[in-house]
Amino acid sequence: MYETDSNFPSDVAFTSAVKAIQTRKGSRHSYSRMETGGSWQTAITKELAAFIESRTTVFLATANAAGQPYIQHRGGPAGFLKVLDDKTIGFADFAGNRQYITQGNLSENHKAHLFLIDYALRQRVKIWGQARVVEGDDDLTSRLFPEGYRARAEQAILFSVTAWDANCPQHVPQMFDAAAVQSALAEKDRRITELEQEIARLRGP
């Protein structure tokens, strides 16, 4: 049996049931050493903040009072996710299909999860915490809104970090953003043109 009280930040995910399965399948010892060695972090570091604010996509997981889970994608330009302090992430919630499943879930269960992934660098970060929807605060929504982005912000969402963990790149497919690929190809074409002009100059008339 395992204690149900939280002794380590990782206990937000490693419940008694999880630890029992880890024991049965042989991985509990290594995770126990991880916990006593410092476990997961509970504050947003400078490196994590840079990673968060460079993302153009995030998956937000919530569950209703009955435990029914839901995952919703949120996207925008780099910087649409803003680190407000070492415990808080905020973003403007753009108007969408008006189903409001996430907002409904958060109205009765504040526990939430953010999953961020960088396919180019094959990095992923999992963040546990609590989230709340802030309606009617035009100043907050305005501060969180990405400058020049063509969308309508309906409200704001604030996410309070409980713990976070970064995963290894195993099984993450390496993919690249289309805009980044286009930029690289344009730079390649520009460089080829420069070299062709230089060759022509060296050859002379």
Side-chain angles (χ1 to χ4, degrees), residues 61-93:
T62 59
N64 61 24
Q68 181 65 41
Y70 180 68
I71 297 176
Q72 188 164 53
H73 169 262
R74 283 290 185 265
F80 88 97
L81 291 173
K82 299 187 185 301
V83 175
L84 304 181
D85 55 49
D86 68 353
K87 285 286 191 179
T88 312
I89 302 165
F91 59 93
D93 194 24

Side-chain angles (χ1 to χ4, degrees), residues 97-115:
N97 57 20
R98 301 175 66 84
Q99 290 184 345
Y100 302 119
I101 299 173
T102 294
Q103 185 169 358
N105 287 353
L106 291 176
S107 72
E108 55 187 17
N109 180 1
H110 290 299
K111 291 184 179 179
H113 184 89
L114 293 177
F115 186 87

Side-chain angles (χ1 to χ4, degrees), residues 55-70:
R55 297 301 85 216
T56 58
T57 186
V58 65
F59 295 96
L60 171 62
T62 59
N64 61 24
Q68 181 65 41
Y70 180 68

Side-chain angles (χ1 to χ4, degrees), residues 9-135:
S10 56
D11 284 349
V12 69
F14 296 166
T15 62
S16 296
V18 171
K19 290 178 181 180
I21 293 174
Q22 289 174 348
T23 298
R24 179 166 60 84
K25 296 199 172 187
S27 64
R28 182 68 205 137
H29 179 66
S30 62
Y31 283 117
S32 178
R33 285 191 303 168
M34 175 207 73
E35 291 168 346
T36 57
S39 193
W40 298 350
Q41 299 194 60
T42 59
I44 300 171
T45 62
K46 185 196 313 188
E47 293 76 18
L48 178 60
F51 182 82
I52 291 171
E53 294 190 338
S54 69
R55 297 301 85 216
T56 58
T57 186
V58 65
F59 295 96
L60 171 62
T62 59
N64 61 24
Q68 181 65 41
Y70 180 68
I71 297 176
Q72 188 164 53
H73 169 262
R74 283 290 185 265
F80 88 97
L81 291 173
K82 299 187 185 301
V83 175
L84 304 181
D85 55 49
D86 68 353
K87 285 286 191 179
T88 312
I89 302 165
F91 59 93
D93 194 24
F94 307 132
N97 57 20
R98 301 175 66 84
Q99 290 184 345
Y100 302 119
I101 299 173
T102 294
Q103 185 169 358
N105 287 353
L106 291 176
S107 72
E108 55 187 17
N109 180 1
H110 290 299
K111 291 184 179 179
H113 184 89
L114 293 177
F115 186 87
L116 303 99
I117 188 165
D118 184 328
Y119 287 104
L121 297 178
R122 300 176 68 215
Q123 296 176 336
R124 49 186 170 176
V125 172
K126 303 177 295 186
I127 308 177
W128 284 262
Q130 297 190 8
R132 62 187 178 95
V133 176
V134 181
E135 296 182 278

